[in-house]
Every structure is written in structure tokens, then in C-alpha cells.
Amino acid sequence: DAFEQALAALPRARDLRFRVEHAQVLAESDIPRFRALGVLPSMQATHCTSDMPWAEARLGPERLQGAYAWRSLLATGVVIPGGSDFPVESPNPFLGIYAGVARRPLPRGEDRGWQPEQRMTREEAVRSFTSWNAHASHQEAELGALTPGRRADLVVCSDDVFTCPEERIPDIVPLLTLVSGEVVFRREAQPQ
């Protein structure tokens, strides 16, 4: 409501890309409002897997319908900038990607996950940590994707997050990290 009032008073403010941090538990009626207002729902995916053991008891069945509603939000056409919320959660982005894709807690179980109809695809989960964050901060021309003209910030990983078995996503580690094309981290070979 506050964003709606502010944007009505200052329509040019839409260019600022306002966002709601921790947009984890929403009233279902508010889900389409993000797109309508141009406000971004920023979420930390690992909170989903941390909260799932107690969420239903504390939120109740009605409020639970809007909890971590990634698919419902994405269906409206918004992007979801993501993050870890470190130090509350691990800064490891692969745990967040796994949470977005699997909606299962660690250690990995056999269950289908919590509210599996709200899962993200692997591409969406990766974008939440890369290009959607760049968009949210008006840096999409220089960050968020590997294309000519953008900074060469990249990570070479131990596995392919797009094709590896889902249960291996949390175990992915960086082998090499570049920032603006400069190597800033190289994993030393582990003794056999």
C-alpha cells in the first residue's frame, strides 16, 4: 500500500525499481500487485528450506498459500532478485539455488519438497542470483550475464548446475573466480 501511494504521488519513481526485501510470506491478493506497481519481490530462497518445518503451524493454511510463492510471482511477469541473507543463512549461492529448485531441506530427502508447485526452474534460480539482481540494482548493462561489454565477473564450478542431478547442486564449489576478468580465487588441487 505504501508503494502504491508513493508511486501515485510520484509516478517517475517507478524508474527506481523499488523492492520489498524478504517478500517471503505474501497475501495472495498482493502477488499481482508487484507487477502492476513495478515493485520487485526480493527473496532469500534458503529461508524457505529453513522455515518449512514450522511455517504451517505458525502461518496457518491460508497464509501458507502465499509463502515463498515463486511460481505464482513469476507467472505475473516479475523477476525475483535473490540472496543469502548472510549471516542468518549460509552465503553459499548453491544452497539458495537448490532451495529454489528442490524446495527440500538439507540433508537431502526423498520427499517431493514443500509446495513443489512453487518451485523455480534451474535457470530462474540461477538468474535470481545473477541477472535479476543486476536488473534490480540498475546494473544490467554491466553485470549479471556473460555477454560482450559487461564485466567479466564469473565463476568456474565443479559441476554444471543446469545438468547435474538435483541432489548434487548443494555440493557445487567454485574452482576459479574472476572479477572484472582478473583471477581472484583458484581452488588448489586436492590430494588424491
PDB file of all heavy atoms in Angstrom, residues 62-75:
ATOM      1  N   GLU A  62      -4.142 -20.633   5.370  1.00  0.00           N
ATOM      2  CA  GLU A  62      -4.466 -19.543   4.434  1.00  0.00           C
ATOM      3  C   GLU A  62      -3.221 -18.725   4.087  1.00  0.00           C
ATOM      4  O   GLU A  62      -2.930 -18.490   2.912  1.00  0.00           O
ATOM      5  CB  GLU A  62      -5.543 -18.637   5.023  1.00  0.00           C
ATOM      6  CG  GLU A  62      -5.979 -17.550   4.054  1.00  0.00           C
ATOM      7  CD  GLU A  62      -7.090 -16.687   4.618  1.00  0.00           C
ATOM      8  OE1 GLU A  62      -8.025 -17.234   5.232  1.00  0.00           O
ATOM      9  OE2 GLU A  62      -7.000 -15.465   4.434  1.00  0.00           O
ATOM     10  N   ARG A  63      -2.461 -18.301   5.080  1.00  0.00           N
ATOM     11  CA  ARG A  63      -1.260 -17.506   4.833  1.00  0.00           C
ATOM     12  C   ARG A  63      -0.172 -18.334   4.156  1.00  0.00           C
ATOM     13  O   ARG A  63       0.668 -17.795   3.439  1.00  0.00           O
ATOM     14  CB  ARG A  63      -0.743 -16.896   6.133  1.00  0.00           C
ATOM     15  CG  ARG A  63      -1.661 -15.788   6.655  1.00  0.00           C
ATOM     16  CD  ARG A  63      -1.194 -15.201   7.956  1.00  0.00           C
ATOM     17  NE  ARG A  63       0.109 -14.577   7.806  1.00  0.00           N
ATOM     18  CZ  ARG A  63       0.990 -14.485   8.795  1.00  0.00           C
ATOM     19  NH1 ARG A  63       0.742 -14.983   9.989  1.00  0.00           N
ATOM     20  NH2 ARG A  63       2.154 -13.899   8.598  1.00  0.00           N
ATOM     21  N   LEU A  64      -0.196 -19.639   4.389  1.00  0.00           N
ATOM     22  CA  LEU A  64       0.801 -20.515   3.789  1.00  0.00           C
ATOM     23  C   LEU A  64       0.726 -20.498   2.259  1.00  0.00           C
ATOM     24  O   LEU A  64       1.724 -20.702   1.583  1.00  0.00           O
ATOM     25  CB  LEU A  64       0.615 -21.945   4.314  1.00  0.00           C
ATOM     26  CG  LEU A  64       1.756 -22.904   4.072  1.00  0.00           C
ATOM     27  CD1 LEU A  64       3.006 -22.461   4.805  1.00  0.00           C
ATOM     28  CD2 LEU A  64       1.353 -24.298   4.521  1.00  0.00           C
ATOM     29  N   GLN A  65      -0.445 -20.213   1.703  1.00  0.00           N
ATOM     30  CA  GLN A  65      -0.610 -20.192   0.243  1.00  0.00           C
ATOM     31  C   GLN A  65       0.239 -19.116  -0.425  1.00  0.00           C
ATOM     32  O   GLN A  65       0.601 -19.239  -1.588  1.00  0.00           O
ATOM     33  CB  GLN A  65      -2.089 -20.007  -0.127  1.00  0.00           C
ATOM     34  CG  GLN A  65      -2.970 -21.145   0.326  1.00  0.00           C
ATOM     35  CD  GLN A  65      -2.462 -22.498  -0.146  1.00  0.00           C
ATOM     36  OE1 GLN A  65      -2.233 -22.714  -1.330  1.00  0.00           O
ATOM     37  NE2 GLN A  65      -2.263 -23.408   0.793  1.00  0.00           N
ATOM     38  N   GLY A  66       0.568 -18.073   0.304  1.00  0.00           N
ATOM     39  CA  GLY A  66       1.403 -17.012  -0.261  1.00  0.00           C
ATOM     40  C   GLY A  66       2.846 -17.077   0.204  1.00  0.00           C
ATOM     41  O   GLY A  66       3.613 -16.136  -0.016  1.00  0.00           O
ATOM     42  N   ALA A  67       3.230 -18.199   0.820  1.00  0.00           N
ATOM     43  CA  ALA A  67       4.586 -18.331   1.352  1.00  0.00           C
ATOM     44  C   ALA A  67       5.540 -18.851   0.282  1.00  0.00           C
ATOM     45  O   ALA A  67       5.295 -19.893  -0.313  1.00  0.00           O
ATOM     46  CB  ALA A  67       4.585 -19.265   2.568  1.00  0.00           C
ATOM     47  N   TYR A  68       6.602 -18.103   0.034  1.00  0.00           N
ATOM     48  CA  TYR A  68       7.614 -18.496  -0.948  1.00  0.00           C
ATOM     49  C   TYR A  68       6.954 -18.858  -2.268  1.00  0.00           C
ATOM     50  O   TYR A  68       7.258 -19.875  -2.873  1.00  0.00           O
ATOM     51  CB  TYR A  68       8.478 -19.642  -0.404  1.00  0.00           C
ATOM     52  CG  TYR A  68       9.107 -19.277   0.908  1.00  0.00           C
ATOM     53  CD1 TYR A  68       8.511 -19.625   2.106  1.00  0.00           C
ATOM     54  CD2 TYR A  68      10.258 -18.509   0.932  1.00  0.00           C
ATOM     55  CE1 TYR A  68       9.068 -19.227   3.318  1.00  0.00           C
ATOM     56  CE2 TYR A  68      10.819 -18.117   2.136  1.00  0.00           C
ATOM     57  CZ  TYR A  68      10.218 -18.480   3.326  1.00  0.00           C
ATOM     58  OH  TYR A  68      10.767 -18.076   4.511  1.00  0.00           O
ATOM     59  N   ALA A  69       6.078 -17.997  -2.710  1.00  0.00           N
ATOM     60  CA  ALA A  69       5.240 -18.247  -3.896  1.00  0.00           C
ATOM     61  C   ALA A  69       5.965 -17.842  -5.172  1.00  0.00           C
ATOM     62  O   ALA A  69       5.489 -17.024  -5.957  1.00  0.00           O
ATOM     63  CB  ALA A  69       3.911 -17.512  -3.747  1.00  0.00           C
ATOM     64  N   TRP A  70       7.130 -18.455  -5.395  1.00  0.00           N
ATOM     65  CA  TRP A  70       7.957 -18.082  -6.539  1.00  0.00           C
ATOM     66  C   TRP A  70       7.234 -18.272  -7.862  1.00  0.00           C
ATOM     67  O   TRP A  70       7.254 -17.392  -8.710  1.00  0.00           O
ATOM     68  CB  TRP A  70       9.254 -18.890  -6.549  1.00  0.00           C
ATOM     69  CG  TRP A  70      10.088 -18.704  -5.326  1.00  0.00           C
ATOM     70  CD1 TRP A  70      10.345 -17.517  -4.685  1.00  0.00           C
ATOM     71  CD2 TRP A  70      10.756 -19.699  -4.580  1.00  0.00           C
ATOM     72  NE1 TRP A  70      11.154 -17.740  -3.597  1.00  0.00           N
ATOM     73  CE2 TRP A  70      11.423 -19.073  -3.513  1.00  0.00           C
ATOM     74  CE3 TRP A  70      10.879 -21.082  -4.718  1.00  0.00           C
ATOM     75  CZ2 TRP A  70      12.188 -19.763  -2.582  1.00  0.00           C
ATOM     76  CZ3 TRP A  70      11.646 -21.777  -3.797  1.00  0.00           C
ATOM     77  CH2 TRP A  70      12.281 -21.122  -2.741  1.00  0.00           C
ATOM     78  N   ARG A  71       6.642 -19.402  -8.076  1.00  0.00           N
ATOM     79  CA  ARG A  71       5.979 -19.673  -9.357  1.00  0.00           C
ATOM     80  C   ARG A  71       4.815 -18.708  -9.563  1.00  0.00           C
ATOM     81  O   ARG A  71       4.615 -18.200 -10.661  1.00  0.00           O
ATOM     82  CB  ARG A  71       5.500 -21.139  -9.408  1.00  0.00           C
ATOM     83  CG  ARG A  71       4.795 -21.543 -10.678  1.00  0.00           C
ATOM     84  CD  ARG A  71       5.604 -21.443 -11.967  1.00  0.00           C
ATOM     85  NE  ARG A  71       6.972 -21.852 -11.822  1.00  0.00           N
ATOM     86  CZ  ARG A  71       8.008 -21.228 -12.402  1.00  0.00           C
ATOM     87  NH1 ARG A  71       7.826 -20.186 -13.173  1.00  0.00           N
ATOM     88  NH2 ARG A  71       9.238 -21.647 -12.229  1.00  0.00           N
ATOM     89  N   SER A  72       4.040 -18.437  -8.514  1.00  0.00           N
ATOM     90  CA  SER A  72       2.915 -17.505  -8.641  1.00  0.00           C
ATOM     91  C   SER A  72       3.413 -16.115  -9.005  1.00  0.00           C
ATOM     92  O   SER A  72       2.819 -15.436  -9.855  1.00  0.00           O
ATOM     93  CB  SER A  72       2.117 -17.453  -7.338  1.00  0.00           C
ATOM     94  OG  SER A  72       1.533 -18.710  -7.066  1.00  0.00           O
ATOM     95  N   LEU A  73       4.489 -15.666  -8.384  1.00  0.00           N
ATOM     96  CA  LEU A  73       5.059 -14.353  -8.711  1.00  0.00           C
ATOM     97  C   LEU A  73       5.618 -14.332 -10.128  1.00  0.00           C
ATOM     98  O   LEU A  73       5.342 -13.401 -10.897  1.00  0.00           O
ATOM     99  CB  LEU A  73       6.156 -13.984  -7.711  1.00  0.00           C
ATOM    100  CG  LEU A  73       5.676 -13.503  -6.354  1.00  0.00           C
ATOM    101  CD1 LEU A  73       6.782 -13.627  -5.313  1.00  0.00           C
ATOM    102  CD2 LEU A  73       5.186 -12.061  -6.442  1.00  0.00           C
ATOM    103  N   LEU A  74       6.392 -15.345 -10.479  1.00  0.00           N
ATOM    104  CA  LEU A  74       6.991 -15.383 -11.812  1.00  0.00           C
ATOM    105  C   LEU A  74       5.926 -15.417 -12.899  1.00  0.00           C
ATOM    106  O   LEU A  74       6.116 -14.827 -13.970  1.00  0.00           O
ATOM    107  CB  LEU A  74       7.932 -16.579 -11.936  1.00  0.00           C
ATOM    108  CG  LEU A  74       9.207 -16.494 -11.089  1.00  0.00           C
ATOM    109  CD1 LEU A  74       9.908 -17.842 -11.034  1.00  0.00           C
ATOM    110  CD2 LEU A  74      10.138 -15.409 -11.617  1.00  0.00           C
ATOM    111  N   ALA A  75       4.819 -16.048 -12.632  1.00  0.00           N
ATOM    112  CA  ALA A  75       3.726 -16.120 -13.615  1.00  0.00           C
ATOM    113  C   ALA A  75       3.147 -14.740 -13.917  1.00  0.00           C
ATOM    114  O   ALA A  75       2.557 -14.542 -14.981  1.00  0.00           O
ATOM    115  CB  ALA A  75       2.633 -17.063 -13.118  1.00  0.00           C
TER     116      ALA A  75
END
